[in-house]
Amino acid sequence: MGAHSPAILARGVVKRFGTTQALAGLDLTAEPGTILGVLGPNGAGKTTAVRILTTLLRPDAGRVEVAGFDVVRQPDQVRTRIGLAGQYATVDELLSGRENLVMVGRLFHLPRAEARRRADALLERFGLTDVAHRPVKTYSGGMRRRLDLAASLVTEPQVLFLDEPTTGLDPRSRLTLWEIIREQAARGATVLLTTQYLDEADQLADTIVVIDHGRVIASGTADELKDQVGGDRLDVTVAAESDLEDAVRALERHATGPAHVDVAQRQVSVPIRNVPGLLAAVVRDLDARNVRPLDFRLRRPTLDDVFLALTSAPAGPAGDECEEAA
Amino acid sequence: MNTTAMTVDPVPVYRRLYWALADAWVVTRRHLLHIPQQHEQWISATVQPIIFVLLFRYVFGGAIVTPEASYINFLMAGIFVQSVVMEGMTGGIGLAHDLKRGIIDRFRTLPMAPSAVLAGPIVADTLRNLFIIGVMLALGLAVGFRPEASALAWCGAIGLLLATSFAVSWIGSVVALLVRDPEAVQVMAFVVMMPLAFASSAFVPVETMPSWLQPIVRHQPVTVIVDAVRGLLLAHTTGAAPWQALAWCAGIVAVCAPLSVVLYRRLARE
């Protein structure tokens, strides 16, 4: 890798599918050895970006370099340095876990003995030794995902791309994957991780970029992003749905931004700048409107709030046809 | 951020060729490892030609008059070629399946030869066809097939059948990369390959067909290949020479193999 080149560099990347603009001038930078979290609502262009960075898709315009090599002009140089684990397990269902890993190693041009050694070590590390010789079609979803990640690590990549690696996994499998992702960064790999789970980005990423409609709308560390939303959040839960409207009116007088209402939870959430006496004033206003709060909570903003403030769409692990098609 | 992409020395041609072959073998092994999981596919691939041999030998055969040889001797070359031609498209169906799943993405992020992804299943299919030819031959001998070929002619006939299998598989790859849907490939295989296999000299002498149809049938590749295989097995020299049949196979590969690789590379454009 060049002395000063970032591990991932994208400048003004544009990609269209027919009339759909998937990427509209995307910029990304990741320094070697860091974890970059890419957040965005469904259809924001996350998967398209990953596919371009991993040479699966050609950009219509813009400059993209991975590990110092141009993805369009030097794809083979990029391919010897990257690993990709996608949303959909990219392993052979009819082969066993071990056969899959050995095959990837051989196609990476490792000597046979080395391919086998790495396969066995990864199966061991990922807790798949017991099922190593069973066809992948008999694996559970979590096992399949771990095997897929293992397949992308056979090549000991400098830059690892993980497209929603934990979507649909149970909490225990997620924690195992998180641990492995941290290990990869610790051994010096650069990791780009797309996720719909904000706590995942919060937990893992050194830097987070939020993308929407194919371009970056915010970036920074988790704390920097939270500061961007401004101040604190006040959540008020009311006893009856009919109280929500009055609660919003009372709270908005003190808020620094628009209120978010969660009707199902009977909760109103507003951004506020906490100054002495403010909370007392809020309580008096609620009282004056006969609103009885069941719960009254002042907190730091979460990435969820950042997401809601920055993008029009709510975050959530929902299905996503648009990204699949890409 | 003014970085410039690094430059790399180009890889010499002989090294590329070596790795293309090595990669193709790894992918071939992948498909050979599938065999124990695919009993159904193997059974249907073997049973179909067996049914054809028996049907034509005992049901239709009595009504078909072949001037130069007994019908079973006439038939076997046709059955061999027909089954190799129809089987050749199964590789395309498999490729269309792979394109819908993620495994092709895995291959495309590895620094391997694109041609290997396509050649692997084709080599595996060709080996499978060798097995099927063996099964049919054994059955043919049991129901009265009496070839008169020399050892050399046998090698020529089997080599030609494998070349046909290889060539048809490349057509399957092109179709799979164009339509990318297993069912659609299956339909295409039926609609295109079925008439080609039957409107040929495989099952009936061309002379029994209407005069307007004869020139078409006589010159289409399946007839050329069937006549060549038949000539080799029955040790007579009428019909097309083996080199003509081989030229057809070579021509198909020369067009379809590079076209498949171009189409495969174009996957990155959408």
Side-chain angles (χ1 to χ4, degrees):
Chain A
M1 199 178 297
H4 303 291
S5 49
I8 298 171
L9 176 79
R11 288 288 172 273
V13 181
V14 174
K15 184 70 193 177
R16 258 176 240 97
F17 297 107
T19 53
T20 315
Q21 179 97 346
L23 296 179
L26 183 77
D27 299 319
L28 291 175
T29 310
E31 295 304 325
T34 62
I35 302 181
L36 174 67
V38 177
L39 277 178
N42 293 329
K46 300 189 294 291
T47 297
T48 304
V50 169
R51 291 182 70 81
I52 287 175
L53 288 163
T54 53
T55 76
L56 290 175
L57 205 57
R58 285 167 73 106
D60 294 334
R63 185 158 72 104
V64 186
E65 284 170 24
V66 172
F69 293 97
D70 187 294
V71 295
V72 176
R73 285 181 292 118
Q74 301 166 299
D76 275 344
Q77 295 302 324
V78 173
R79 287 175 191 141
T80 58
R81 290 164 177 83
I82 61 166
L84 166 67
Q87 282 178 62
Y88 309 99
T90 51
V91 284
D92 187 311
E93 298 270 302
L94 297 180
L95 298 189
S96 72
R98 187 169 187 268
E99 285 165 347
N100 265 293
L101 297 188
V102 173
M103 176 178 72
V104 171
R106 296 292 286 154
L107 292 174
F108 191 65
H109 303 161
L110 296 175
R112 191 183 316 251
E114 177 64 9
R116 288 180 181 159
R117 193 192 62 74
R118 287 196 194 177
D120 289 332
L122 284 164
L123 290 164
E124 174 85 48
R125 173 65 193 90
F126 285 57
L128 294 167
T129 305
D130 290 345
V131 293
H133 295 283
R134 290 206 336 227
V136 173
K137 65 180 179 191
T138 65
Y139 285 22
S140 71
M143 284 155 66
R144 215 173 278 224
R145 209 67 79 82
R146 272 180 283 157
L147 181 68
D148 194 38
L149 186 51
S152 64
L153 296 178
V154 171
T155 62
E156 295 181 352
Q158 278 177 31
V159 188
L160 181 61
F161 295 90
L162 304 173
D163 192 16
E164 304 199 8
T166 65
T167 299
L169 289 189
D170 60 78
R172 203 229 285 256
S173 302
R174 279 181 82 194
L175 288 178
T176 313
L177 282 187
W178 284 8
E179 207 182 300
I180 291 161
I181 293 166
R182 286 199 190 96
E183 271 174 27
Q184 290 304 310
R187 76 163 172 89
T190 310
V191 181
L192 182 148
L193 166 89
T194 78
T195 182
Q196 303 189 26
Y197 300 109
L198 304 164
D199 61 323
E200 188 161 285
D202 214 348
Q203 287 279 333
L204 294 175
D206 299 303
T207 317
I208 296 170
V209 299
V210 183
I211 69 174
D212 197 15
H213 298 112
R215 59 162 61 91
V216 174
I217 53 170
S219 66
T221 64
D223 280 334
E224 285 166 1
L225 287 175
K226 288 170 188 174
D227 287 343
Q228 276 187 26
V229 207
D232 295 312
R233 308 288 303 189
L234 182 63
D235 298 339
V236 176
T237 308
V238 296
E241 222 176 271
S242 53
D243 287 343
L244 280 174
E245 209 176 308
D246 283 330
V248 169
R249 231 170 274 141
L251 290 170
E252 275 191 335
R253 292 185 50 189
H254 306 279
T256 56
H260 284 296
V261 183
D262 185 335
V263 178
Q265 301 287 325
R266 298 191 309 281
Q267 191 184 67
V268 183
S269 175
V270 288
I272 58 161
R273 194 163 311 283
N274 192 14
V275 291
L278 180 86
L279 290 180
V282 172
V283 173
R284 274 197 302 277
D285 261 353
L286 286 169
D287 205 39
R289 289 180 159 79
N290 259 329
V291 177
R292 303 261 173 278
L294 287 179
D295 191 22
F296 191 90
R297 195 155 57 100
L298 182 70
R299 60 175 173 84
R300 287 274 293 144
T302 63
L303 274 181
D304 274 289
D305 301 314
V306 176
F307 212 79
L308 285 169
L310 290 172
T311 69
S312 39
D320 185 353
E321 288 87 323
C322 214
E323 293 257 319
E324 267 180 55
Chain B
M1 205 74 63
N2 273 321
T3 56
T4 26
M6 281 178 273
T7 52
V8 197
D9 294 333
V11 182
V13 174
Y14 69 90
R15 278 195 68 78
R16 279 179 173 276
L17 193 63
Y18 169 78
W19 282 118
L21 292 173
D23 291 346
W25 174 240
V26 175
V27 182
T28 301
R29 260 183 63 83
R30 168 198 173 213
H31 290 270
L32 294 178
L33 287 168
H34 286 172
I35 290 171
Q37 313 272 337
Q38 292 176 317
H39 340 277
E40 286 166 33
Q41 211 176 315
W42 277 72
I43 290 167
S44 77
T46 317
V47 166
Q48 200 221 3
I50 290 176
I51 291 175
F52 268 57
V53 171
L54 297 178
L55 266 183
F56 278 89
R57 168 75 174 88
Y58 294 112
V59 180
F60 301 118
I64 303 169
V65 178
T66 44
E68 289 176 39
S70 71
Y71 186 62
I72 182 67
N73 278 350
F74 176 88
L75 173 69
M76 285 311 292
I79 292 273
F80 284 140
V81 176
Q82 178 268 342
S83 101
V84 158
V85 165
M86 296 304 286
E87 270 305 299
M89 295 296 281
T90 54
I93 297 168
L95 179 60
H97 269 296
D98 279 350
L99 285 164
K100 285 194 136 185
R101 302 194 197 104
I103 186 82
I104 296 287
D105 282 353
R106 168 72 60 208
F107 289 144
R108 289 178 58 221
T109 56
L110 286 166
M112 61 180 290
S115 58
V117 178
L118 305 166
I122 290 175
V123 174
D125 275 353
T126 306
L127 293 177
R128 181 170 67 169
N129 270 330
L130 183 61
F131 168 81
I132 293 169
I133 290 166
V135 171
M136 282 190 294
L137 176 62
L139 178 70
L141 292 173
V143 297
F145 178 45
R146 295 294 173 263
E148 292 155 31
S150 66
L152 189 67
W154 266 112
C155 292
I158 289 173
L160 197 49
L161 288 169
L162 295 182
T164 306
S165 165
F166 189 74
V168 174
S169 297
W170 281 108
I171 301 177
S173 280
V174 170
V175 173
L177 285 159
L178 284 174
V179 301
R180 285 190 229 150
D181 176 51
E183 279 80 43
V185 177
Q186 197 142 23
V187 170
M188 287 284 286
F190 190 76
V191 168
V192 178
M193 290 303 167
M194 191 81 161
L196 267 180
F198 278 84
S200 73
S201 63
F203 301 103
V204 294
V206 178
E207 297 74 41
T208 62
M209 296 178 194
S211 56
W212 59 266
L213 187 58
Q214 287 190 24
I216 302 169
V217 169
R218 216 180 287 281
H219 294 104
Q220 66 113 323
V222 176
T223 299
V224 175
I225 294 165
V226 169
D227 288 353
V229 172
R230 188 173 284 145
L232 286 165
L233 292 181
L234 302 182
H236 60 66
T237 48
T238 53
W243 68 263
Q244 280 177 292
L246 207 56
W248 266 107
C249 295
I252 290 168
V253 174
V255 172
C256 291
L259 183 58
S260 298
V261 172
V262 168
L263 290 171
Y264 179 85
R265 287 185 190 277
R266 285 185 69 94
L267 291 172
R269 287 179 190 269
E270 9 201 292

